[in-house]
């Protein structure tokens, strides 16, 4: 069962993975040049449709001649069209075929430029008398281990995309193997992998391999190419193998990875413990969508009985340390943005309050954080920024379309919408309105229910 990594064969760099899996039933087969490849028909149809829509991508030849990782295709589509709601093809697995990855030398920093996908080409491993002998294994993992090929290119470095595009799909795909899976990562970034190393160690018993720069001949019993995506920040339990798993299991895995103590938002039994008071965490931002009255918000929350903390996550934050801070909170409040992805660390029964910027962005708030909250067993609330609470009212005349007709800005496309309503706006929530929201959040917590019973 050789799995090969031969010498590079082009100036851009190429690497091959050869596999020799045992035969198994396949949902469909496409043949070309004597090569049989099991293909999910719906997934392949979707890939072909995407190929036709991306006119700057070389057209796909035969079904078994070229395959792209699902994440690679999606990132290319999002980069090209600025899509905010996405549908992804299921992950594909191929049998009895070697795979070639063509490295396009993507060493740019995170989010520094549009990302270009890599091509995964399927090539036959001929075994006839006239064929050269297959390469010999230098690392043989064929007894038990499955190889999982995925990319960490695209928008990795943005917290929301780290989880919704890579980490959760990787969990969906790898969880079933109970650790007997090895990650072979294309577009490998050591800083990114190290940032989430505890998660990879929960999913796999083996080291993560930079497959673009690996010269070993690795042998595996099975290979899965590309992760499986279900939905934004979510797992569809009905689509997972029996007995099934969900975001509850993903969050339990995160608690194990980062040593998080609280599975549920319940007060401490120790009457002297400060955690008997509900903790409110304000997610701070700098640059855009910042709270201009953050200190006043904290003072008001403390007057309601909250123990208040302020956290500002960024790409340099220690993931484990910040995860523990979030896990200690009972209520988390922040303006729409990637920082709210930290909701994955909140204990069950906690409350997420998403502050939605001005500009008709309810649809964006709903798809990114509102809909995922139920599967995480988190209470969800919104605070909608009004015209007198946004700095946009200071930047534009009262009759400007930005203020009077946000829908007209939306019609100009994602770039226009993002530039105006996400990049140029800071907010100053009205403390009276926000106080009502905080009080409603308190009622959803065991702390508030105990308070009501005592009264």
């Amino acid at each position: 069962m050789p799995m090969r990594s031969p010498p590079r064969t082009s100036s851009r760099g190429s690497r091959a993975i050869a596999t020799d899996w045992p035969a198994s039933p396949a949902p469909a087969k496409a043949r070309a040049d004597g090569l049989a490849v099991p293909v999910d028909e719906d997934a392949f149809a979707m890939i072909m449709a995407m190929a036709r829509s991306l006119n700057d991508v070389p057209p796909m030849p035969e079904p078994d001649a070229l395959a792209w990782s699902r994440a690679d295709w999606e990132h290319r589509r999002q980069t090209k069209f600025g899509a905010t709601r996405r549908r992804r093809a299921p992950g594909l697995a191929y049998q009895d075929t070697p795979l070639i990855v063509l490295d396009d030398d993507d060493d740019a920093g995170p989010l520094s430029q549009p990302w270009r996908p890599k091509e995964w080409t399927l090539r036959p491993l001929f075994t006839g008398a006239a064929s050269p002998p297959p390469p010999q294994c230098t690392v043989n993992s064929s007894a038990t281990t499955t190889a999982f090929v995925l990319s960490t290119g695209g928008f990795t470095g943005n917290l929301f995309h780290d989880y919704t595009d890579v980490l959760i799909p990787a969990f969906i795909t790898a969880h079933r193997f109970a650790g007997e899976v090895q990650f072979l990562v294309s577009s490998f970034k050591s800083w990114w992998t190290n940032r989430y190393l505890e998660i990879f160690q929960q999913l796999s018993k083996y080291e993560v391999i930079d497959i673009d720069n690996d010269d070993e001949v690795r042998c595996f019993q099975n290979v899965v190419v590309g992760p499986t995506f279900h939905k934004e920040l979510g797992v569809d339990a009905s689509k997972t193998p029996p007995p099934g798993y969900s975001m509850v299991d993903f969050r339990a895995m995160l608690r194990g990875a980062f040593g998080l103590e609280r599975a549920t938002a319940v007060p401490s039994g120790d009457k002297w413990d400060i955690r008997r008071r509900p903790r409110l965490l304000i997610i701070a931002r700098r640059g855009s969508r910042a709270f201009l009255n953050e200190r006043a918000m904290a003072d008001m929350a403390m007057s309601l009985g909250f123990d208040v903390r302020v956290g500002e996550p960024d790409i340099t934050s220690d993931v484990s340390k910040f995860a523990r801070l979030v896990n200690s909170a009972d209520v988390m409040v922040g303006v729409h943005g990637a920082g709210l992805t930290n909701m994955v660390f909140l204990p069950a029964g906690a409350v997420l309050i998403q502050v939605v910027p001005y500009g008709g962005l309810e649809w964006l708030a709903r798809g990114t954080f509102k809909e995922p909250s139920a599967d995480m067993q988190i209470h969800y609330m919104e605070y909608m920024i009004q015209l007198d609470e946004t700095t946009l009212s200071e930047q534009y005349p009262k009759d400007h379309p930005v203020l009077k007709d946000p829908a007209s800005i939306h019609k100009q496309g994602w770039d226009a919408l993002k530039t105006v309503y996400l990049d140029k706006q800071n907010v100053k929530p009205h403390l009276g309105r926000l106080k009502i929201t905080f009080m409603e959040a308190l009622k959803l917590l065991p702390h508030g229910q105990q308070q009501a019973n005592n009264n």
Side-chain angles (χ1 to χ4, degrees):
M1 350 181 182
M3 188 162 191
R4 63 182 180 185
S5 290
R8 292 183 179 271
T9 57
S10 76
S11 59
R12 297 195 333 173
S14 66
R15 190 147 318 278
I17 307 163
T19 61
D20 183 8
W21 294 284
S24 64
K29 285 192 176 182
R31 290 185 174 272
D33 300 325
L35 174 63
V37 185
V39 179
D40 180 300
E41 292 175 322
D42 292 337
F44 185 72
M46 182 178 292
I47 291 174
M48 290 301 291
M50 293 169 73
R52 287 191 292 271
S53 69
L54 300 174
N55 53 26
D56 62 337
V57 178
M60 203 178 232
E62 295 299 323
D64 54 355
L66 177 65
W68 292 62
S69 116
R70 180 212 53 75
D72 293 357
W73 272 99
E74 186 47 46
H75 284 309
R76 183 52 172 265
R77 184 165 72 94
Q78 183 170 350
T79 301
K80 183 176 175 62
F81 297 111
T84 57
R85 298 294 294 154
R86 305 184 293 281
R87 183 184 179 198
R88 292 168 168 84
L92 302 179
Y94 300 90
Q95 293 181 326
D96 304 322
T97 60
L99 303 172
I100 309 295
V101 59
L102 303 179
D103 187 350
D104 62 357
D105 299 325
D106 176 24
D107 8 275
L111 308 180
S112 61
Q113 63 181 23
W115 180 75
R116 297 164 297 173
K118 291 178 170 60
E119 300 176 3
W120 289 87
T121 303
L122 305 179
R123 295 181 181 175
L125 183 62
F126 296 108
T127 57
S131 302
Q136 296 299 307
C137 305
T138 61
V139 179
N140 193 337
S141 305
S142 61
T144 57
T145 310
T146 293
F148 180 7
V149 182
L150 76 161
S151 168
T152 55
F155 294 114
T156 49
N158 173 289
L159 190 64
F160 178 80
H161 291 286
D162 287 349
Y163 280 88
T164 205
D165 290 345
V166 181
L167 296 174
I168 294 176
F171 169 80
I172 292 170
T173 308
H175 182 70
R176 71 193 72 175
F177 299 114
E180 289 298 337
V181 61
Q182 185 163 29
F183 290 95
L184 309 181
V185 178
S186 180
S187 300
F188 182 91
K189 301 178 179 71
S190 60
W191 64 267
W192 191 91
T193 303
N194 289 333
R195 180 175 171 82
Y196 296 111
L197 188 59
E198 292 92 340
I199 295 178
F200 286 108
Q201 289 174 337
Q202 288 286 310
L203 296 174
S204 172
K205 301 175 182 177
Y206 307 95
E207 66 174 322
V208 179
I209 300 299
D210 175 2
I211 195 61
D212 297 342
N213 295 291
D214 181 45
D215 292 319
E216 300 287 353
V217 179
R218 299 180 180 275
C219 298
F220 295 91
Q221 182 74 10
N222 299 288
V223 171
V224 177
V225 180
T228 299
F229 176 91
H230 287 170
K231 53 187 176 180
E232 306 288 6
L233 289 182
V235 178
D236 185 342
S238 68
K239 296 180 180 178
T240 62
Y245 43 92
S246 66
M247 278 302 289
V248 172
D249 299 289
F250 178 77
R251 280 157 47 80
M253 182 271 292
L254 291 180
R255 291 196 300 274
F258 298 116
L260 308 183
E261 297 180 358
R262 303 176 75 214
T264 57
V266 295
S268 170
D270 182 355
K271 67 178 182 178
W272 301 110
D273 191 338
I274 192 174
R275 286 181 296 182
R276 286 183 62 83
R277 296 170 57 194
R279 175 169 288 182
L280 183 141
L281 173 63
I282 298 174
I283 298 295
R285 293 180 57 92
R286 298 292 179 264
S288 69
R289 285 166 278 153
F291 288 123
L292 299 182
N293 56 345
E294 187 177 282
R295 181 69 260 175
M297 290 169 54
D299 291 342
M300 179 268 288
M302 286 189 285
S303 74
L304 297 176
F306 283 105
D307 169 38
V308 178
R309 297 288 187 271
V310 178
E312 184 180 354
D314 59 32
I315 199 170
T316 63
S317 299
D318 182 301
V319 177
S320 182
K321 183 178 180 179
F322 203 84
R324 289 193 292 272
L325 173 63
V326 176
N327 186 249
S328 75
D330 301 288
V331 178
M332 187 172 84
V333 58
V335 184
H336 172 83
L340 293 187
T341 308
N342 285 290
M343 67 189 288
V344 297
F345 303 121
L346 286 171
V351 181
L352 172 67
I353 303 174
Q354 180 174 198
V355 176
V356 183
Y358 183 81
L361 301 179
E362 295 87 343
W363 61 273
L364 185 58
R366 180 177 63 249
T368 48
F369 301 112
K370 180 181 180 179
E371 291 176 356
S373 62
D375 288 346
M376 297 188 203
Q377 301 177 333
I378 294 171
H379 299 292
Y380 176 85
M381 300 179 69
E382 283 181 353
Y383 182 93
M384 305 296 300
I385 291 295
Q386 305 300 315
L387 192 55
D388 62 347
E389 299 172 299
T390 173
T391 56
L392 293 175
S393 61
E394 302 168 3
Q395 302 174 43
Y396 296 92
K398 293 182 179 180
D399 59 349
H400 195 281
V402 165
L403 306 181
K404 288 291 187 181
D405 187 17
S408 66
I409 307 300
H410 288 220
K411 291 177 182 178
Q412 296 176 28
W414 171 254
D415 288 342
L417 179 157
K418 179 178 180 296
T419 298
V420 173
Y421 296 116
L422 298 182
D423 296 343
K424 290 185 177 181
Q425 178 174 190
N426 291 319
V427 300
K428 189 176 182 180
H430 189 280
L431 294 181
R433 285 184 60 221
L434 188 61
K435 182 177 182 179
I436 295 172
T437 302
F438 285 177
M439 292 173 66
E440 291 298 319
L442 185 57
K443 292 178 183 178
L444 295 172
L445 297 173
H447 310 70
Q449 294 163 11
Q450 284 185 3
Q451 212 173 65
N453 293 335
N454 294 336
N455 295 335

